[in-house]
Amino acid sequence: MQDLHTGMTASSISGAGWKKSSRSDDAINCVEVCEPDETRVAVRDSKVPDGPTLVFGRSTMIAFFGGAGRGDLGGLTV
């Protein structure tokens, strides 16, 4: 299993198949994700394709997307 960590460059994630969010546009909001293995998800800014990534556990991302879809971000104010 590859040693993945937040802050690593996107190009250093071997075999990454980055997918752009359908809600991203070409100017401001550009988010891409990949699943480098069955337990983790990486996120990057598509405007900076070799910039740093955020790496999360798959279950953490499932919980985040589920809460965001319901409008429940645990009391966070955005």
Side-chain angles (χ1 to χ4, degrees), residues 23 60-74 76 78:
R23 298 203 180 251
T60 300
M61 290 303 289
I62 290 169
F64 171 76
F65 288 131
R70 292 186 308 273
D72 174 18
L73 297 179
L76 293 176
V78 185

Side-chain angles (χ1 to χ4, degrees), residues 21-68:
S21 167
S22 62
R23 298 203 180 251
S24 290
D25 59 37
D26 292 330
I28 300 170
N29 302 310
C30 304
V31 176
E32 292 181 326
V33 298
C34 77
E35 294 180 274
D37 60 42
E38 62 280 349
T39 63
R40 293 174 286 187
V41 176
V43 181
R44 74 176 180 183
D45 180 345
S46 65
K47 296 183 307 289
V48 187
D50 199 35
T53 62
L54 297 172
V55 179
F56 300 96
R58 184 171 168 70
S59 59
T60 300
M61 290 303 289
I62 290 169
F64 171 76
F65 288 131

Side-chain angles (χ1 to χ4, degrees), residues 10 13-18 34 36:
I13 299 176
S14 61
W18 293 98
C34 77

